[in-house]
Amino acid sequence: MPNIFECEFYLLEMMDCCLIVFHPYRPLVQFCQELGTSLDKKDQHQQDLILQTAWKTINDTLRTDICLLYPPYLVALACMQVACIILGKDFKQWFAELSVDIDKCVEVVKLILNLYDMWKTFDEKKEIPALLAKIPKPKSSPR
């Protein structure tokens, strides 16, 4: 098995393959800090709750290809929107003042909500055997 990994690394190197993924955590913290400056000091707890919930949402998005398809700041904003929806907070004015493409942000929010909807309806006991049946079986070589 180690030889296969070594060969894969050589192959990737020969193909000049480079994949760098920037995570949305840093923009999320920056956006939460900006949101915190627009809040009162007594609302610091709200800012912390939004940050925690959005952080968990980002963790969930890493199970999808969202972080590969959209820039990190857009994923962070979408996760903040989802966090505000979950917590019942209304920061529409703050989001409206941002100079970002709201349509793209809504697109990412829809993908996140689709992920959660799929998780709700996914029946592991029913789906996994069907998926395993589709995997080709290894052919045994004559000895």
Side-chain angles (χ1 to χ4, degrees), residues 27-37 47 50-51 80 94:
L28 174 67
V29 171
Q30 292 171 344
F31 285 134
C32 281
Q33 288 171 347
E34 288 177 25
L35 178 64
T37 59
Q47 179 188 355
I50 292 171
L51 177 62
M80 279 185 70
W94 184 82

Side-chain angles (χ1 to χ4, degrees), residues 2 7 13 17 27 32 34 46-47 59 87 90 92 106-107 109 113-114 128 131-132:
C7 290
E13 187 176 319
C17 183
C32 281
E34 288 177 25
Q46 282 186 345
Q47 179 188 355
N59 290 343
L87 297 171
D90 184 20
K92 291 177 186 171
V106 168
E107 191 176 312
V109 168
L113 294 178
N114 285 342
I128 295 297
L131 292 172
L132 290 175

Side-chain angles (χ1 to χ4, degrees), residues 124-141:
E124 192 172 321
K125 291 181 180 179
K126 178 182 164 189
E127 301 286 337
I128 295 297
L131 292 172
L132 290 175
K134 291 181 181 180
I135 296 175
K137 307 292 186 256
K139 297 178 182 177
S140 58
S141 59

Side-chain angles (χ1 to χ4, degrees), residues 108-121:
V108 177
V109 168
K110 286 180 181 178
L111 289 172
I112 294 169
L113 294 178
N114 285 342
L115 170 70
Y116 289 141
D117 188 45
M118 191 238 349
W119 282 356
K120 276 185 186 177
T121 61

